[in-house]
Amino acid sequence: MDRAVLPQIEKSFLRGVWDCGIPPSSSPAVLIAKKVIDGDFREALTSSEARKLIRLQNDCFDQPLEDIFDFSASSDGDLAEQELLQLSLAIALFHAFIQANWTGPDLNLTPLEVITFDKLGTETSLSEDLIRQKAVAELAYGGEPAYHLTAVPIFLRLAQIFLALPFPHLQTAQWWRLRVALVHQQILDEPVADSDLLSASLEPLESFVSSEPDLLGRLYLERGRLDHIYSQDKSAAEYFVKAARATGLEYELTGALGKRTRFQQTDLSQLVLLAESRLSSDLAASSNSTDIPTQNGGSTKTSENFQLSTVLPETLPLNDDTLLEQTEFTSSHPALSDSRLLHINPQNQPPLHPVDQSIFLSLCLNVKNTSPSHGLTSEQMAPYVARVISHPRNWSVHTVALLLRSRLESSRTRTVERSTLQLQALIDQMPTSDSTLSERLHYVHSIPLPSKWELQKELALRFASLGVVKSALEIFERLEMWEEVVKCWGSLERPEKGIAVVRDLLEGRKAEADVVLSRGKIISEARRNFQDTSREAKLWCLLGDLEPEKAVEHYERAWSVSKHSSGRAMRSLGGHYFARGRYSEAVTCLRQAVMINPLLAQDWEGARNAFSRCVAIDEDDGESWNNLASMYLRLGTNPKRDGDKEADVSVTYTSETAKSIPFDNKMLAFRALKQGLRYSYSNWRMWYNYMIVSMDVGQLNEACRALGRVIEETSGKVGAKSVDEDVLDRLVDGVARAPGVEGPEENDASTLQDPNQGRWLFKSVNDLFERILLPRVSSPRVFRAYARLLTWQNKWEEAIKAYLDAYRNGIAGTMEKGETDVERWREAAQEVEEIVDLLRNFGPRVEGYNWRLQARSIVRTFTGRTKDFEDEPGWGRLKDLQDELRKEDE
């Protein structure tokens, strides 16, 4: 096999479409790779090559599956080809699992058709039920059970084992590990962080697809989705925005005149999302190929076709006598005259590439997560969803858009009926073959498509919210979601029925679909050991919730059954102790729960009280002060005072969440952090939190001190990233708000001696620059901030030097010959014009300084290095600027 085609095949795997530029090959690995991409999993997984690898080494099911199967490559043959075969089979297993549980249509393959047996007679003792139990048990992670009715879970587990192998000749194995992790998290009861995956660098993958904007966008999008699952909303938002930048997606949420109801007489401003894709997709082409553009101007020929599918998920009409089906925009332009997308007609926008549609759906999720729970949330999300629905391009992407619209409409009287019917229609379409499997899988990793059982659970919850509890109960019983079943019996005022269900399950009087507990006496001991203990532990926890008088006994039983791995058991036991004032026992349990799963949401008020007592007992515990401050910043109302036992804690927070935190809480957090830093002086994270809170409460002098400590502690490891440049700019602004050196003297009675502004703050900020920042950090924004501080002092010559240092470290100063990035050049050209304007302004104020010569040198040097951009409009402005400077000097 020609190794030169490996990158093309790997990118074809990532896109889900075969690259037609790959030359024909007789290599079995290449042939299987194409079958996998075409969605022919049965042919790939039952091939002779697959049978040699997916083979039981023994039938001792007491061992982990990774010991029972041996997928490692043999020493014979081409190692790169064997790695390609391993990756192909891993993807086939993984996508077969997704087909069975997410996208449909129904899978035409069973585990026993895939697994090969070494020993005669093994197939008679091995059943799919046994394989399922083993796989579900091993898919439990971090004390959280995997959903026991998952179809063909062995395929996901085998894919994990394949991807755990080393792939020295392939570059995308880590990306597939990320995709498998995204799916794995969705079959667990609660997400559990994978520290190895979170700490893994994306740089190698970024380099691999740097010239492929669609793949780079997908990479950022999928990493953002993982952070979204882990509730790391700020990080997720950053990745979603990076994905949009990578694909060149232009979008703007603005207003335009229009009508929303049938009887509306006056046009009102309606929220609209204007958007335009830069990714090329030949929507009108009749051929079976599409050019995917690359950054260097080339293209990759694939067999992908973005034509409108002949069959799409059914989009139900609203049929309301008042509301229009969609907003009718009467204006052909957005309300803002300075809009970057002024040329787009809100009523007739261009179609978007499916990758860009996926980005919008993810941004929509982020709006939901980072906005308060009020009407504006739906108003902000609706334009994103409507923009995707307006031009259907892919079956799965359109399904998610309809699902999000259904959720948005579920709380409105006029739309709740369509919301529920649309959700039912989406569930009904999954088993059908109305669209090809390859189309359904194209973008499945880039969109938040729920599993089949999650969709059915959502429908049941919708029924319950409408008061149709019995219909909800039937669905939950079919899905064997016993916790929801118990809640339904509680809503029907029959709690004893819920208790009976749980006890029947535990005692074997009630059968589940995959583990028939009533047969416990007749199955072998070995098979009994395969039962998923995390599920049994969850049932004991549920019984503890239902029988408070025996709660401790049941929770401890759950902890024992799970072999000390059930986070749910420790959370429940900790909550039980806390409600009864047994705080030391509660703290012990909750710490164990967080150690098992650090992503758990907490009871902030209860946590505040617990940490208040911690610092009352041990005032020298800096970490407790820090955690207590964090609780204050998470509480939406002013906390009650408890004598002198104020608890304070530190946590970083975004400007959006900061708006809803009462100022009194912020001050309590500020005091708590200040107290805690007396005992944790070298903890840079506490200093960082202290800096953020200090800025928010107006204590700029303290924020300056904190920023200096953060830089001192971290600059040696992360360099310029140790500087929070937003905070630095605000500190300089705090100085510059007061009169400069030509203003009143320091001893003037009219000058307020406020340490948080003017000359009094200047002393601290100037010391920060000269003693800490400048000796350690070189970045354009730091130099510009220092230049503004020097300008405030009327030190023109030093200010010019600082601005020039910023220029030399910026895009223009570091741009080399041969660069081809037009956007980067445009930013650099703007920097050149800005530095020349600054020299014109400040230069004449410095005696004997030939600023024109300096300016001409800058323009001449820059144009000499970037002659490849002579056709750009900005090039003419630079040449005119050069001529002006020459004439002024004559």
Side-chain angles (χ1 to χ4, degrees):
M1 184 190 71
D2 183 5
R3 295 192 181 186
V5 304
L6 282 177
Q8 291 175 274
I9 296 176
E10 289 190 80
K11 290 175 182 178
S12 296
F13 275 139
L14 294 172
R15 285 195 176 100
V17 287
W18 187 253
D19 187 341
C20 297
I22 299 174
S25 172
S26 60
S27 164
V30 175
L31 295 175
I32 288 178
K34 188 173 189 309
K35 289 177 182 177
V36 172
I37 291 174
D38 292 340
D40 195 350
F41 306 137
R42 184 181 184 85
E43 284 293 320
L45 292 172
T46 58
S47 65
S48 59
E49 290 77 11
R51 289 185 174 277
K52 292 176 184 177
L53 278 181
I54 310 176
R55 179 181 293 274
L56 275 175
Q57 303 300 310
N58 60 69
D59 58 357
C60 185
F61 263 64
D62 290 333
Q63 299 178 20
L65 284 172
E66 58 189 348
D67 294 337
I68 301 174
F69 290 92
D70 181 13
F71 298 151
S72 58
S74 66
S75 57
D76 301 328
D78 186 344
L79 291 180
E81 183 170 5
Q82 293 189 47
E83 287 179 25
L84 178 60
L85 177 61
Q86 291 167 337
L87 182 63
S88 301
L89 296 178
I91 296 171
L93 289 163
F94 179 43
H95 279 172
F97 176 79
I98 292 176
Q99 177 187 347
N101 294 283
W102 265 263
T103 65
D106 292 341
L107 186 65
N108 63 344
L109 186 67
T110 66
L112 290 178
E113 292 177 290
V114 173
I115 298 172
T116 305
F117 311 95
D118 270 347
K119 296 181 180 179
L120 205 60
T122 300
E123 56 268 43
T124 61
S125 62
L126 195 64
S127 67
E128 289 197 13
D129 185 42
L130 184 59
I131 294 173
R132 183 212 302 273
Q133 291 180 52
K134 180 68 173 175
V136 168
E138 290 198 8
L139 287 170
Y141 184 62
E144 296 296 334
Y147 180 54
H148 63 287
L149 294 189
T150 304
V152 291
I154 187 65
F155 286 175
L156 178 61
R157 184 68 190 108
L158 293 180
Q160 288 179 328
I161 298 171
F162 262 120
L163 290 170
L165 298 172
F167 289 89
H169 296 91
L170 302 181
Q171 303 181 61
T172 57
Q174 182 62 24
W175 195 333
W176 286 102
R177 293 183 189 113
L178 168 64
R179 288 182 166 183
V180 168
L182 277 168
V183 170
H184 188 198
Q185 291 296 324
Q186 295 175 72
I187 69 171
L188 300 176
D189 273 11
E190 297 286 345
V192 180
D194 185 335
S195 57
D196 292 338
L197 198 62
L198 285 173
S199 61
S201 172
L202 293 182
E203 288 184 7
L205 291 172
E206 290 173 353
S207 301
F208 180 63
V209 297
S210 59
S211 62
E212 316 276 350
D214 63 316
L215 289 181
L216 188 58
R218 290 198 202 191
L219 175 62
Y220 291 138
L221 188 54
E222 291 171 30
R223 179 55 194 270
R225 283 193 58 223
L226 185 67
D227 286 346
H228 166 77
I229 288 174
Y230 291 158
S231 299
Q232 298 177 358
D233 298 329
K234 183 177 180 181
S235 175
E238 291 172 354
Y239 276 118
F240 295 152
V241 171
K242 287 178 74 173
R245 289 175 180 165
T247 65
L249 173 62
E250 291 277 351
Y251 64 97
E252 188 175 88
L253 193 63
T254 183
L257 292 177
K259 297 177 180 179
R260 189 68 189 93
T261 64
R262 299 181 186 277
F263 310 110
Q264 189 174 332
Q265 299 297 318
T266 306
D267 292 341
L268 300 175
S269 183
Q270 309 287 343
L271 202 59
V272 62
L273 182 71
L274 302 178
E276 189 172 37
S277 288
R278 288 190 179 179
L279 292 177
S280 173
S281 57
D282 189 2
L283 299 173
S286 58
S287 65
N288 193 34
S289 66
T290 295
D291 287 338
I292 303 289
T294 61
Q295 293 285 15
N296 58 14
S299 64
T300 299
K301 182 72 71 174
T302 72
S303 60
E304 186 168 15
N305 187 354
F306 295 127
Q307 287 182 293
L308 180 64
S309 300
T310 54
V311 179
L312 283 167
E314 182 182 5
T315 304
L316 298 182
L318 183 58
N319 294 331
D320 187 74
D321 57 0
T322 300
L323 287 179
L324 293 170
E325 185 69 32
Q326 58 187 12
T327 303
E328 289 185 0
F329 293 100
T330 55
S331 171
S332 60
H333 297 289
L336 298 177
S337 59
D338 60 346
S339 169
R340 292 176 292 119
L341 300 173
L342 191 63
H343 60 284
I344 294 181
N345 184 344
Q347 188 65 25
N348 186 24
Q349 297 197 53
L352 296 175
H353 192 282
V355 173
D356 290 333
Q357 291 182 331
S358 302
I359 292 172
F360 277 154
L361 296 178
S362 297
L363 284 169
C364 178
L365 288 179
N366 194 62
V367 169
K368 178 182 178 183
N369 273 358
T370 58
S371 297
S373 181
H374 53 65
L376 283 180
T377 301
S378 297
E379 293 301 322
Q380 290 172 349
M381 290 173 68
Y384 288 88
V385 177
R387 184 67 179 90
V388 176
I389 289 177
S390 62
H391 294 97
R393 286 292 169 259
N394 174 266
W395 190 92
S396 297
V397 175
H398 196 58
T399 294
V400 173
L402 292 176
L403 173 62
L404 292 182
R405 187 183 70 176
S406 172
R407 291 172 180 170
L408 290 175
E409 293 182 344
S410 63
S411 58
R412 301 179 61 186
T413 305
R414 290 189 175 275
T415 56
V416 65
E417 181 180 1
R418 177 171 73 168
S419 168
T420 306
L421 293 175
Q422 182 69 76
L423 183 56
Q424 181 68 66
L426 294 178
I427 293 171
D428 293 342
Q429 73 177 353
M430 288 297 178
T432 66
S433 300
D434 56 5
S435 61
T436 64
L437 174 60
S438 58
E439 182 191 2
R440 296 188 183 196
L441 291 173
H442 268 180
Y443 304 100
V444 73
H445 303 294
S446 303
I447 53 177
L449 179 67
S451 60
K452 293 179 180 179
W453 64 85
E454 282 296 332
L455 278 175
Q456 294 181 59
K457 177 183 178 181
E458 189 167 337
L459 179 63
L461 291 173
R462 192 78 55 83
F463 283 152
S465 68
L466 296 173
V468 192
V469 181
K470 286 190 175 180
S471 296
L473 179 61
E474 291 175 1
I475 296 175
F476 287 134
E477 286 184 330
R478 185 173 69 250
L479 297 175
E480 297 185 2
M481 294 182 175
W482 306 118
E483 190 164 0
E484 302 299 334
V485 168
V486 168
K487 290 178 183 177
C488 286
W489 282 119
S491 299
L492 294 171
E493 299 183 355
R494 299 285 303 277
E496 72 282 356
K497 294 284 289 183
I499 294 175
V501 167
V502 178
R503 284 204 170 276
D504 286 349
L505 286 165
L506 286 169
E507 296 172 11
R509 293 191 296 270
K510 186 177 182 65
E512 286 187 325
D514 69 328
V515 181
V516 185
L517 296 178
S518 60
R519 299 184 204 153
K521 294 181 180 179
I522 61 173
I523 63 175
S524 68
E525 184 65 28
R527 181 172 177 183
R528 192 177 291 117
N529 290 336
F530 299 150
Q531 181 177 333
D532 187 359
T533 55
S534 56
R535 280 169 50 210
E536 184 181 351
K538 183 178 179 180
L539 290 173
W540 282 111
C541 289
L542 190 53
L543 191 60
D545 297 341
L546 295 170
E547 297 180 343
E549 67 282 357
K550 298 181 180 179
V552 173
E553 177 187 343
H554 294 327
Y555 295 147
E556 289 181 343
R557 176 70 178 274
W559 183 241
S560 174
V561 163
S562 70
K563 299 179 181 177
H564 301 175
S565 66
S566 172
R568 166 71 182 274
M570 282 295 102
R571 296 198 299 273
S572 300
L573 192 57
H576 177 87
Y577 285 142
F578 183 82
R580 287 153 182 79
R582 297 164 65 176
Y583 299 114
S584 61
E585 293 161 289
V587 168
T588 300
C589 293
L590 293 175
R591 279 180 176 168
Q592 286 182 298
V594 173
M595 285 175 64
I596 294 170
N597 186 356
L599 295 177
L600 298 171
Q602 304 294 323
D603 177 354
W604 305 124
E605 188 150 2
R608 184 205 66 194
N609 295 335
F611 287 119
S612 296
R613 286 168 174 79
C614 286
V615 297
I617 295 169
D618 182 7
E619 189 180 67
D620 296 346
D621 187 352
E623 289 293 335
S624 290
W625 284 109
N626 183 64
N627 292 334
L628 188 53
S630 180
M631 298 308 103
Y632 280 139
L633 295 176
R634 294 177 185 274
L635 290 169
T637 57
N638 293 327
K640 298 177 181 179
R641 303 290 181 91
D642 184 14
D644 333 329
K645 299 176 184 177
E646 280 185 14
D648 305 305
V649 93
S650 74
V651 75
T652 54
Y653 51 89
T654 65
S655 57
E656 285 297 318
T657 56
K659 294 176 183 177
S660 62
I661 302 171
F663 184 80
D664 286 352
N665 283 21
K666 296 176 184 178
M667 285 304 300
L668 288 171
F670 170 77
R671 296 186 194 117
L673 286 170
K674 191 171 186 178
Q675 181 73 8
L677 285 168
R678 293 172 58 189
Y679 312 107
S680 297
Y681 188 77
S682 61
N683 188 331
W684 71 266
R685 290 181 177 84
M686 282 185 66
W687 280 107
Y688 186 86
N689 291 336
Y690 184 57
M691 175 187 70
I692 297 296
V693 177
S694 297
M695 290 298 301
D696 208 44
V697 299
Q699 297 290 328
L700 271 62
N701 199 54
E702 287 297 293
C704 182
R705 184 166 75 99
L707 178 57
R709 286 293 301 139
V710 172
I711 296 168
E712 287 175 334
E713 291 291 333
T714 63
S715 60
K717 296 180 179 178
V718 297
K721 292 182 179 179
S722 63
V723 185
D724 190 314
E725 294 173 333
D726 291 334
V727 170
L728 184 64
D729 282 340
R730 288 183 61 187
L731 291 173
V732 175
D733 290 342
V735 174
R737 278 196 296 266
V741 294
E742 296 177 357
E745 296 296 328
E746 287 187 17
N747 57 2
D748 192 323
S750 64
T751 303
L752 295 176
Q753 297 185 7
D754 185 348
N756 298 307
Q757 65 174 325
R759 291 184 176 86
W760 299 96
L761 178 61
F762 164 75
K763 295 177 181 178
S764 299
V765 176
N766 191 58
D767 180 70
L768 172 67
F769 276 105
E770 296 185 356
R771 184 177 62 85
I772 299 174
L773 256 177
L774 297 177
R776 292 177 170 87
V777 176
S778 297
S779 80
R781 198 164 165 186
V782 168
F783 283 123
R784 281 194 289 269
Y786 185 51
R788 290 196 296 122
L789 190 69
L790 293 167
T791 302
W792 181 81
Q793 302 172 72
N794 292 346
K795 294 183 177 180
W796 307 112
E797 186 172 2
E798 294 178 38
I800 290 174
K801 181 180 181 301
Y803 276 120
L804 288 172
D805 286 339
Y807 171 84
R808 294 185 189 103
N809 285 273
I811 297 175
T814 57
M815 201 163 189
E816 299 292 342
K817 287 184 179 180
E819 293 203 22
T820 59
D821 189 335
V822 175
E823 289 300 325
R824 179 176 164 84
W825 182 87
R826 290 172 182 168
E827 291 182 34
Q830 185 175 353
E831 288 183 4
V832 172
E833 294 179 63
E834 289 173 356
I835 193 66
V836 171
D837 287 342
L838 185 134
L839 288 171
R840 275 178 169 160
N841 187 21
F842 288 3
R845 307 187 191 197
V846 180
E847 186 176 352
Y849 179 54
N850 193 343
W851 63 269
R852 292 186 182 86
L853 178 62
Q854 178 79 66
R856 285 205 312 274
S857 175
I858 288 173
V859 179
R860 183 172 61 251
T861 302
F862 179 77
T863 54
R865 286 201 307 256
T866 62
K867 288 183 179 180
D868 294 337
F869 298 93
E870 289 180 349
D871 295 333
E872 283 294 310
W875 182 268
R877 292 200 307 271
L878 292 178
K879 300 303 289 184
D880 292 342
L881 183 61
Q882 197 170 7
D883 293 337
E884 289 174 15
L885 292 169
R886 187 182 299 109
K887 290 177 183 178
E888 289 175 5
D889 202 30
E890 292 175 355

